[in-house]
Amino acid sequence: MKFRNSEKLYKKGLKHLVGAVNSPVRAFTSVGGNPLFIKKAKGSKITDVDGNTYVDFVLSYGPMILGHRHKKVQKAIKKALKKGYTFGASTKNEIKLAKIVCDAFPGMDKVRFVSSGTEAVLSAIRLARAFTGKDKIVKFSGCYHGHSDALLVAAGSGLATLSLPGSKGVPEGAVKNTLIANYNDLESVKAHFEKHDDIAGVIIEPIAGNMGVVLPHDNFLKELKEYLVSKGALLIADEVMTGFRSKFGGAQELLDIEADITCLGKVIGGGFPVGAYGARNEIMEMVSPLGGMYQAGTLSGNPIAMASGIATLTELRKQNPYEQFNETASILEVLLLEAAKKHNVDLVVNRFGSMINPFFTDSEVTNFEEAQKSDTKKFAVFFWEMIRNGIFLPPSQFEAWFLSSALSEKDIAKTANAIDKAMEAVSKM
Ligand SMILES: *Cc1c(COP(=O)(O)O)cnc(C)c1O
């Protein structure tokens, strides 16, 4: 397998792009080598500029849940393109997507569309503060909520991959109202409430995906919600990754919990920049123009993105691939564990729905600290051997692999073969 064209573009890209990438997770910092440049993708597969085709488990970090260029989505986008790209005024499709989204999440009467997950979350935090009149926010170590100042502490994969504790350029004042708790540890949340009486809410990835896949313990979220109700604080579910992915109604539907504010992104735009935050009327009525919390966006509710989102979610609801995702993920889990056993490699696999993560470690992973015990050097060897065998994975131990409904049995067979070879390569390190 040759990567000559990717190498050339990488070197060229370094001149005017930072590290030749527009998001640091795309750099191959922790796995070594140069990032691949992509030419095109279709269905379950992605092709680089050297003509190598891979089964795609990155799926643009989640959005492409139907696979790339699904016919119905492409048709909807083409139709929208003919009418104009952006108007700075409302369109019918915004109402249509809003209804699909609000119907999917029981705690959501109204939604506001934005252009990224980062924007959705930072707006949700502002909203929680506006509604409660309190300033402090609790977040969990290892959860990522976008790159807004207040949330760039203990923020999981991107930073963990680069071994950064937080980000430079974030003023102390911006994080002084951010309190850190441990995932799956309600006592660590309670400790903050015992010390502070000005906590607006707790933000969480209900199924964590940004420290690798980490599952909430049974009842952790239910108990957290109950506790927050007793304290008059809000539960903010960051479902940017899990929304429409764990289940149509996200982790909340799957785990039967109801957040006060929900953040969405990724799948909701079907590959176009869409984020959203929503809540019950009482909370959303704080948002301008109905209320005094300001939040705006020139391209928010963009017509092309709305068309893509509507087509993606409509097709997704019709396909209802969640059972199939579970089965595929369980097959992958068995393949990974059996290959690890065969080649004497320590491995733990966490999975939930269409998100799965092998950790190169010998002990269970239930929080960020445990995830960080993984052997990233082993992952790097595994990663490159998977690439050489035609499997495209996120270039980090701490990123989830995503499944699309376009995956075929042939793709899984190819993946099985690659896993065996990659595990063998790890055993020979
Ligand atoms: C990806 C992600 C974000 C940030 O979304 P962007 O669109 O990259 O800004 C926020 N929260 C979670 C849980 C995510 O997975």
Side-chain angles (χ1 to χ4, degrees):
M1 193 173 271
K2 294 204 174 85
F3 305 108
R4 209 170 289 148
N5 292 333
S6 273
E7 273 165 35
K8 268 192 214 151
L9 286 178
Y10 175 65
K11 284 188 186 128
K12 209 169 169 182
L14 287 172
K15 186 165 161 78
H16 293 302
L17 290 168
V18 183
V21 295
N22 277 306
S23 185
V25 298
R26 298 176 200 164
F28 279 24
T29 311
S30 76
V31 292
N34 301 328
L36 299 181
F37 278 68
I38 301 303
K39 187 168 181 187
K40 59 181 182 180
K42 174 90 185 132
S44 60
K45 296 188 190 65
I46 191 161
T47 302
D48 70 17
V49 288
D50 288 280
N52 306 309
T53 294
Y54 311 86
V55 179
D56 186 10
F57 289 100
V58 180
L59 301 172
S60 191
Y61 292 85
M64 306 315 293
I65 194 164
L66 301 172
H68 296 277
R69 289 198 282 143
H70 188 281
K71 261 199 198 115
K72 287 187 186 155
V73 181
Q74 195 150 340
K75 198 172 150 200
I77 293 164
K78 280 185 179 160
K79 197 172 146 199
L81 274 172
K82 284 188 187 151
K83 295 181 185 160
Y85 315 146
T86 178
F87 311 118
S90 294
T91 58
K92 197 171 160 186
N93 272 349
E94 289 162 77
I95 301 172
K96 195 168 170 184
L97 188 58
K99 177 167 169 43
I100 296 173
V101 173
C102 287
D103 285 351
F105 291 85
M108 204 185 285
D109 296 319
K110 284 186 176 60
V111 66
R112 166 66 58 85
F113 291 117
V114 293
S115 300
S116 70
T118 294
E119 247 187 292
V121 178
L122 76 85
S123 308
I125 298 286
R126 187 179 302 149
L127 179 55
R129 287 171 169 158
F131 183 72
T132 59
K134 296 173 179 172
D135 283 346
K136 292 204 162 55
I137 297 289
V138 177
K139 84 174 276 291
F140 292 92
S141 178
C143 285
Y144 177 67
H145 303 295
H147 65 87
S148 67
D149 280 355
L151 297 168
L152 263 189
V153 272
S157 57
L159 294 161
T161 305
L162 300 168
S163 298
L164 296 174
S167 172
K168 288 191 178 167
V170 174
E172 244 169 69
V175 292
K176 79 168 200 286
N177 287 315
T178 310
L179 307 168
I180 308 296
N182 293 323
Y183 204 78
N184 278 323
D185 179 0
L186 188 56
E187 293 309 313
S188 70
V189 176
K190 287 182 180 170
H192 287 308
F193 277 89
E194 274 151 28
K195 249 205 235 147
H196 305 279
D197 58 5
D198 56 344
I199 300 177
V202 173
I203 183 161
I204 189 166
E205 288 181 70
I207 299 164
N210 284 294
M211 48 177 141
V213 177
V214 172
L215 282 51
H217 286 155
D218 284 353
N219 291 326
F220 172 60
L221 295 168
K222 280 209 160 96
E223 284 167 14
L224 174 62
K225 166 83 193 200
E226 264 168 41
Y227 181 72
L228 295 182
V229 169
S230 78
K231 292 286 169 188
L234 302 182
L235 177 63
I236 307 162
D238 180 352
E239 297 229 44
V240 170
M241 186 183 285
T242 52
F244 308 103
R245 178 162 276 289
S246 308
K247 261 276 190 205
F248 198 75
Q252 291 174 68
E253 181 184 343
L254 191 63
L255 303 169
D256 189 27
I257 44 156
E258 197 176 307
D260 296 294
I261 305 176
T262 298
C263 309
L264 297 164
K266 298 192 169 116
V267 172
I268 197 177
F272 282 77
V274 183
Y277 62 101
R280 57 185 183 270
N281 281 325
E282 176 196 19
I283 298 177
M284 286 309 280
E285 279 160 11
M286 300 296 301
V287 179
S288 182
L290 295 183
M293 186 208 105
Y294 193 72
Q295 184 275 310
T298 301
L299 294 178
S300 296
N302 174 270
I304 314 300
M306 292 293 109
S308 169
I310 291 165
T312 298
L313 296 188
T314 304
E315 176 62 17
L316 189 60
R317 200 165 47 187
K318 194 176 125 206
Q319 285 187 7
N320 194 17
Y322 301 102
E323 226 5 80
Q324 175 201 327
F325 283 150
N326 240 339
E327 280 166 31
T328 307
S330 86
I331 291 169
L332 286 175
E333 177 182 27
V334 170
L335 288 170
L336 284 161
L337 290 174
E338 281 182 352
K341 200 170 162 197
K342 177 175 159 195
H343 297 291
N344 257 319
V345 175
D346 288 330
L347 195 78
V348 167
V349 177
N350 282 1
R351 69 178 173 91
F352 214 120
S354 57
M355 291 151 56
I356 180 164
N357 224 142
F359 291 93
F360 287 92
T361 176
D362 59 0
S363 50
E364 61 167 3
V365 179
T366 66
N367 59 34
F368 190 44
E369 206 185 2
E370 289 164 3
Q372 283 186 305
K373 287 182 192 153
S374 305
D375 189 331
T376 54
K377 289 199 182 77
K378 283 185 183 165
F379 178 81
V381 169
F382 181 84
F383 170 84
W384 275 110
E385 198 58 24
M386 292 294 276
I387 289 283
R388 279 189 285 271
N389 284 281
I391 309 297
F392 192 56
L393 300 177
S396 165
Q397 166 70 91
F398 307 108
E399 297 280 0
W401 306 6
F402 296 105
L403 307 183
S404 77
S405 61
L407 277 173
S408 68
E409 277 178 29
K410 220 171 133 192
D411 294 329
I412 298 300
K414 188 173 173 181
T415 309
N417 173 58
I419 286 173
D420 185 61
K421 290 206 172 122
M423 218 55 90
E424 187 180 3
V426 171
S427 75
K428 286 184 177 152
M429 282 171 73

